[in-house]
Amino acid sequence: MKEFLKYTLATVTGLVIAGIVLVIIGVGMLVGMAASFSSSTPVSVDDNSLVVIRLEGELTEQPQPLTLQTLTSQGGTDLTLQQLLDVIAYAQSSDKVKGICLTAGSFAAPPAALEELRGALERFKDSGKFITAYADSYSQGTYYVCSLADRVMLNPVGDMTWEGMSTEVMFYKNLLEKAGVEVQIFKVGTYKSAVEPYAATQMSEANREQTTAFLQSIWNGVVDGVAAARDIAPDTLQAYADRLLSAAPARELVACRLVDTLIYRNDVEDDINQRYNTDKEDFRLVEAADLVSLATSQALKASHPQIAVYYAEGGIDDATSGRGDGNIHAPLMCEDLRKLAEDEKVKAVVLRVNSPGGSAFGSEQIWHEVMNLKARKPVIVSMGGYAASGGYYISCAADSIVADPGTLTGSIGIFGMIPNFKGVADKVGITFDGVSTNRHGGASLFRPLDDAQRTGMQANIERGYALFVQRCADGRGLSTDSIRRIAEGRVWTGEMAKRIGLVDELGGIDTAIRLAAEKAGLTEYSLTRHPAPAEWWDMLLNNSWGGFVQAELRDLLGSDYESLQFVKHIRQQAPVQARLPYVLRLNL
């Protein structure tokens, strides 16, 4: 027995030590990959250069949480919107860069971000330089961007999606009923449809009305942009979409003048050299990803005074967890805005909002800090893909609001959801009992709210809505009645919002920066960007391994990730929400 115990103990000890060694090796490998990922040496740009921009991956405002894909991609090709804008601006100003070659792949971006990217490319083209575009397959979004190229190329057996826009909503009501979950809903706003997936099996007429309106607005902007670039009548482009041109052979796309030529990928470089190269030597290709450091350093030239650009991206919550998880943490953002207000070098702030909203309480706290900041220096809001509900709440106090035509904004409304899991407990044979000192003490997720609690919750929602409306009225210089007529939770595009007074000017972040400089009386200035993107080790340690796995699942599942998290959301979210109706998945 003694020998048995000795050998068993030795074996267990060996296994433990081996496990520790493997963990250390694994962490070391991840650290090494992450270090490789985070290190980028700026390249030198030679004469006669051609910048290659790959429209691939997901276009975001800020670097996203680490995943296995980003760790193992050796740098990857995914760039943020701001990085692409910086690269294009650098290419436009450099005498060494002669043109841009767009290569379209699988690319996910909200319509407003595509508009902003396209606008930067238009300015590049207007400077007298050329743009070419190639794809094996164009999505509607990549084609919208690439259509302004001087030469649009497609693989001879490639295809192009051109069929109009759509969005689809997933409804959970029947599933929740089968599981025994009752969702107790409270809301204000006819169009505030964030609660519909939990209480209905199809879209309400009000939601169908607003969704049709903003989809049509975005699609009309896409059609008009392509029509102008390709010299094709908008009605003809609409007819092409109705014909399901997506299923047509590539040669028909040339006949319809949507594409200039059919060519294989390996022949693109020779074609560009033959058509655009006036020097004896071929173009020197330089990847956009390799120019990021150089382009960013040019955009953020160190001088005084400064205009600070603050990025508010993601859902709004009340947490104080670390940065880099893709959310707006109200306490951290409030602290950041307070520092910008106190920084004498900063003469104006551009608040870049890309948020569907979230906690009404958190939104109110951020609004308060924006007001304090505005009292000391100009604040201009630049809206990204979404600046709706809580995203509009934190924007409405600004001196001016700038939005892209395809931005989704408004959604001025409040809702609350409290789940009751009593049915689930009954199904599995769990019961609850307890005592309370007062009539309404001890609210539980395993019994329904009583009448008094329901009345109190609805009153709380209505107070929150009244406060939201008042904040918007004060910020926009309108009466509360005027805001109520365009509120009710209704979603508007930037183009629609400008017509009804929720937005001051249409444009991108460059427009907002120009307005900030004008309001601050600046002719020369430098830009600073806040908050600084989290370093890879902060993202890894703050997210922990659980957060790392969560980020990997989000990267793998894409927009379906949020849909599969609905039970967790209704259990953990703040009880009163100012949030965009569900996760909008726009087919563009």
Side-chain angles (χ1 to χ4, degrees):
M1 177 62 70
K2 187 181 296 185
E3 290 297 310
F4 172 77
L5 291 175
K6 182 177 71 173
Y7 287 118
T8 300
L9 180 61
T11 301
V12 171
T13 303
L15 289 173
V16 170
I17 294 173
I20 293 173
V21 170
L22 287 173
V23 169
I24 293 173
I25 292 173
V27 171
M29 291 175 62
L30 285 175
V31 168
M33 288 187 290
S36 173
F37 168 76
S38 63
S39 62
S40 58
T41 304
V43 299
S44 60
V45 179
D46 298 323
D47 291 331
N48 208 34
S49 289
L50 181 67
V51 176
V52 179
I53 296 179
R54 302 185 186 277
L55 303 180
E56 300 173 354
E58 182 179 2
L59 188 62
T60 59
E61 298 279 343
Q62 291 272 66
Q64 295 301 292
L66 289 176
T67 65
L68 289 176
Q69 179 180 343
T70 55
L71 279 174
T72 58
S73 64
Q74 299 300 317
T77 57
D78 291 11
L79 299 180
T80 66
L81 174 60
Q82 188 59 63
Q83 288 171 335
L84 283 176
L85 297 180
D86 287 346
V87 167
I88 295 169
Y90 171 81
Q92 180 179 332
S93 64
S94 174
D95 294 334
K96 297 181 178 181
V97 175
K98 305 304 179 184
I100 286 176
C101 177
L102 302 172
T103 302
S106 177
F107 192 53
L114 296 176
E115 290 171 343
E116 206 148 338
L117 177 59
R118 195 174 191 269
L121 290 168
E122 283 181 315
R123 292 190 291 274
F124 176 89
K125 186 177 177 180
D126 290 342
S127 70
K129 301 183 179 184
F130 71 88
I131 300 176
T132 67
Y134 172 84
D136 294 330
S137 176
Y138 286 105
S139 67
Q140 291 180 142
T142 56
Y143 183 74
Y144 170 62
V145 173
C146 293
S147 63
L148 57 77
D150 298 276
R151 187 164 172 79
V152 179
M153 297 172 276
L154 177 67
N155 192 291
V157 291
D159 57 67
M160 188 185 91
T161 301
W162 189 255
E163 57 192 25
M165 288 184 64
S166 66
T167 185
E168 188 175 54
V169 185
M170 185 182 294
F171 293 89
Y172 316 121
K173 180 176 182 291
N174 291 341
L175 173 62
L176 291 170
E177 288 180 350
K178 289 179 180 179
V181 179
E182 175 196 11
V183 182
Q184 301 163 105
I185 292 172
F186 310 87
K187 71 165 189 167
V188 178
T190 303
Y191 295 92
K192 198 65 179 176
S193 51
V195 298
E196 285 188 3
Y198 309 98
T201 57
Q202 61 184 17
M203 299 172 73
S204 67
E205 288 305 311
N207 190 19
R208 191 176 300 278
E209 174 193 348
Q210 72 168 347
T211 305
T212 300
F214 70 66
L215 276 183
Q216 195 64 60
S217 175
I218 296 171
W219 176 243
N220 287 344
V222 171
V223 169
D224 290 344
V226 172
R230 301 298 299 174
D231 193 23
I232 303 173
D235 288 347
T236 301
L237 288 171
Q238 296 284 15
Y240 288 164
D242 290 337
R243 276 174 49 189
L244 194 60
L245 202 58
S246 309
R251 63 178 180 276
E252 189 169 340
L253 299 175
V254 177
C256 292
R257 294 189 292 118
L258 293 169
V259 171
D260 293 306
T261 189
L262 304 180
I263 187 172
Y264 287 98
R265 180 183 291 268
N266 291 339
D267 298 328
V268 170
E269 187 177 343
D270 289 339
D271 182 85
I272 294 174
N273 278 300
Q274 290 173 10
R275 290 182 177 275
Y276 298 102
N277 197 352
T278 57
D279 295 340
K280 293 182 180 179
E281 295 184 4
D282 289 347
F283 286 119
R284 293 172 174 82
L285 303 185
V286 56
E287 294 283 343
D290 295 329
L291 286 177
V292 168
S293 296
L294 187 62
T296 301
S297 64
Q298 174 176 286
L300 305 179
K301 290 177 287 191
S303 64
H304 300 292
Q306 298 174 358
I307 294 177
V309 180
Y310 189 94
Y311 291 88
E313 181 173 26
I316 300 171
D317 63 33
D318 308 326
T320 57
S321 54
R323 304 186 192 278
D325 63 355
N327 288 317
I328 300 170
H329 302 300
L332 294 180
M333 183 171 174
C334 289
E335 181 182 343
D336 292 341
L337 295 181
R338 199 171 302 120
K339 290 178 180 177
L340 291 177
E342 295 169 353
D343 191 338
E344 295 182 357
K345 298 188 296 296
V346 174
K347 304 303 181 184
V349 175
V350 171
L351 184 59
R352 175 69 172 187
V353 179
N354 187 39
S355 171
S359 166
F361 178 84
S363 299
E364 168 71 10
Q365 309 315 302
I366 296 171
W367 170 89
H368 177 69
E369 288 302 329
V370 172
M371 287 293 292
N372 289 340
L373 178 63
K374 178 184 171 183
R376 302 181 67 168
K377 55 197 67 175
V379 178
I380 309 297
V381 161
S382 170
M383 292 181 167
Y386 303 90
S389 205
Y392 192 81
Y393 201 134
I394 68 176
S395 302
C396 66
D399 292 287
S400 294
I401 297 177
V402 179
D404 289 297
T407 296
L408 292 182
T409 188
S411 191
I412 301 168
I414 299 284
F415 72 89
M417 294 191 297
I418 299 178
N420 171 22
F421 293 99
K422 184 178 185 302
V424 178
D426 290 343
K427 286 176 181 288
V428 297
I430 297 175
T431 60
F432 295 86
D433 196 6
V435 297
S436 175
T437 60
N438 294 83
R439 182 181 302 175
H440 305 296
S444 171
L445 292 178
F446 292 93
R447 66 170 178 264
L449 298 175
D450 61 34
D451 290 343
Q453 289 169 328
R454 287 178 175 274
T455 301
M457 185 66 181
Q458 184 62 37
N460 189 24
I461 296 293
E462 290 175 3
R463 282 195 302 272
Y465 180 65
L467 181 60
F468 193 174
V469 168
Q470 188 65 57
R471 298 306 190 212
C472 294
D474 293 343
R476 301 305 300 163
L478 299 171
S479 68
T480 55
D481 287 341
S482 297
I483 293 294
R484 286 181 184 276
R485 282 194 290 270
I486 56 178
E488 292 287 332
R490 179 154 186 173
V491 180
W492 310 91
T493 63
E495 184 267 334
M496 299 161 74
K498 184 176 185 299
R499 294 203 305 263
I500 60 177
L502 293 178
V503 164
D504 295 298
E505 190 166 336
L506 297 179
I509 195 168
D510 289 342
T511 302
I513 292 170
R514 172 180 57 79
L515 284 178
E518 291 175 358
K519 287 191 178 291
L522 302 177
T523 54
E524 293 185 359
Y525 54 87
S526 63
L527 297 178
T528 60
R529 291 173 184 157
H530 311 265
E535 297 287 354
W536 64 266
W537 53 82
D538 287 331
M539 296 167 74
L540 191 62
L541 293 176
N542 287 335
N543 286 346
S544 75
W545 288 111
F548 184 79
V549 172
Q550 187 178 27
E552 179 64 24
L553 285 174
R554 184 183 292 111
D555 181 70
L556 177 66
L557 298 174
S559 58
D560 289 328
Y561 175 84
E562 292 296 332
S563 298
L564 295 175
Q565 293 290 304
F566 68 94
V567 172
K568 176 182 177 182
H569 286 174
I570 62 177
R571 289 191 63 184
Q572 297 183 349
Q573 68 186 10
V576 180
Q577 291 277 304
R579 185 180 289 272
L580 192 71
Y582 44 84
V583 179
L584 288 167
R585 291 177 288 178
L586 303 183
N587 174 29
L588 180 58

